Amino acid sequence: MAFNTKFTELFKCIGIKYPIVSAPMAFVTGAELATKVTLGGGFGFIPADIKTAEELNRDLKSAINLFNSSPEILPIGVGFMNFILDKEKKKDGLSTLETALSHKPAAVWFSFGDFQEYLPIVREMSPKTKIFSQIQTVEMAIVSAKLGVDVIVAQGNESGGHGLINNASTLTLVPETIDALNDSGNGHIPVLAAGGIMDGRGLASALMLGASGVVMGTRFAASKESLFKPQAKEMLVKSCDGGVSTIRTNVFDKLRQPNVWPEHFDGRALRNKTLEDNIDLDDEEKMAEKRKIYGEAMKNADYSRAVIYAGAGVGLIKEILFVKEIIKSTIEGAKVTIEKNKTLCETKT
C-alpha cells in the first residue's frame, strides 16, 4: 500500500517511501538507528544536542559510511534544541549547526525556543536542506509557517521526553494546527503527528486527522539499534497502562546537574523510586543528597531510579525489534486498519 502524502512527496527525491520519522532523541538515537530508519523507507534523525562539533561530525561520518556512499544530500536529518544552540559558544572551527550543514543533511529539526536567527545559516550553507519546526501550540505553528519552514511537527502531551508543560493532546493539536495553517494560507506545509504513536493504528489515526505522517520516538527507543541500555529497553517492554506508568515531571531535570531545561518544559518518563521519594525541590540540603543518589543511579544504569523517558503509549510495545521490523509492522498495521475501517463508511444497497 502506497502512502502518498505531502511529506513523502517532499522527500521522494531521496527515496522516502513511508511517512514515518524517528525522533532525534539524545542518548538514544545514533547513526545506526537513524540510517536504518531511512534505509527502511522512513526518515531518520540524529540529535546534535549534548554533543561537541567533533562528536557530531563523527556521527555524521558514521552515517555516511553506513549508507556506503557519499550522497549529494545526506538522507537523514539532524535535530537541534534551540536553547542549547543559543548557549553554544563557538571557539575554534565550526559550530554544531555549521558542522551538520557541512554534510548537507536532507533536513534540520529545530525545537524548544526561537530559531529565527539560525535560518539564514541553513539557507546559505545548505539550500537544499529542509527545515522542521517542532511545535506544541497552534500559535507556534503559525509563527513557524511565517518563517517559511518546510515541515511542522505537532507534539502532543502524550509524547515521551520533553515538551511544553501545558499543551493539548495529539488528537486535538494536529487537526487544529492543520485548520489554522489552511486558514492562514499555509496548508501546503506537511504536519507530522508526534506523541503516543507506537504502531500502525497510530499512523492510520494520524493520517485520518489530516497529518502527513508521524514521528515515533519511544517505539524506536525499544529497537535493537537504539543506544538505550538493554535494561532500559526491557523496562519499556514490561511497562503497561502508559497513562499510569508514565508521568510528566521536571524532577529528573532538577536532580541532574547542570539542569539545562527552561522552566516551562518538563518530560514524560516512567515512574520509579526517584519519584516515589516525593522530593522537596526547595530543600537544598535534601536536594544535594538526592542528586548524589540520582547521579550514582545514572552512572550505574540503575533504572529503579535513573530516568527512562517514554510516551504514554508505552504499553503498546510488546517486544524489542529491529528498526526495519518496526517500520514494516507499522506500515502493515496501518494498511489493515484503514482497509478494515473502510466498511464503516460504506452504504449497503
Side-chain angles (χ1 to χ4, degrees), residues 133-152:
S133 171
Q134 179 179 319
I135 62 95
Q136 293 90 26
T137 69
V138 175
E139 182 181 2
M140 289 181 186
I142 296 301
V143 171
S144 294
K146 289 180 179 178
L147 292 174
V149 304
D150 300 289
V151 178
I152 288 175

Side-chain angles (χ1 to χ4, degrees), residues 246-315:
T246 69
I247 186 173
R248 297 197 69 94
T249 179
N250 62 3
V251 167
F252 296 111
D253 297 328
K254 300 282 188 181
L255 288 173
R256 190 174 164 194
Q257 292 296 301
N259 174 22
V260 300
W261 282 93
E263 287 293 328
H264 50 290
F265 297 115
D266 64 5
R268 184 178 291 280
L270 294 182
R271 292 177 181 271
N272 63 17
K273 290 180 181 178
T274 295
L275 297 175
E276 292 172 4
D277 289 342
N278 294 318
I279 300 168
D280 182 354
L281 300 178
D282 296 322
D283 188 328
E284 281 303 319
E285 184 175 341
K286 289 184 178 179
M287 280 295 289
E289 177 187 350
K290 295 299 182 183
R291 285 189 182 109
K292 182 178 180 181
I293 294 171
Y294 182 71
E296 286 297 312
M298 289 292 290
K299 180 181 177 180
N300 297 320
D302 175 9
Y303 293 108
S304 68
R305 287 192 172 273
V307 65
I308 299 178
Y309 288 112
V314 66

Side-chain angles (χ1 to χ4, degrees), residues 1-21 37-44 203 207 212-213 327-328 331:
M1 183 177 186
F3 286 86
N4 298 315
T5 71
K6 295 173 187 175
F7 176 77
T8 56
E9 184 67 20
L10 186 64
F11 287 98
K12 68 179 182 181
C13 60
I14 59 170
I16 302 305
K17 298 187 294 182
Y18 306 128
I20 297 175
V21 176
V37 171
T38 295
L39 290 170
F43 189 84
L203 172 57
L207 296 175
S212 294
I327 293 175
K328 181 180 178 182
I331 292 301

Side-chain angles (χ1 to χ4, degrees), residues 23-30 45-49 51 56 59 77-80:
M25 299 172 284
F27 308 113
V28 177
T29 308
F45 270 91
I46 284 178
D49 314 301
K51 291 178 183 175
L56 179 59
D59 273 358
V78 183
F80 294 90

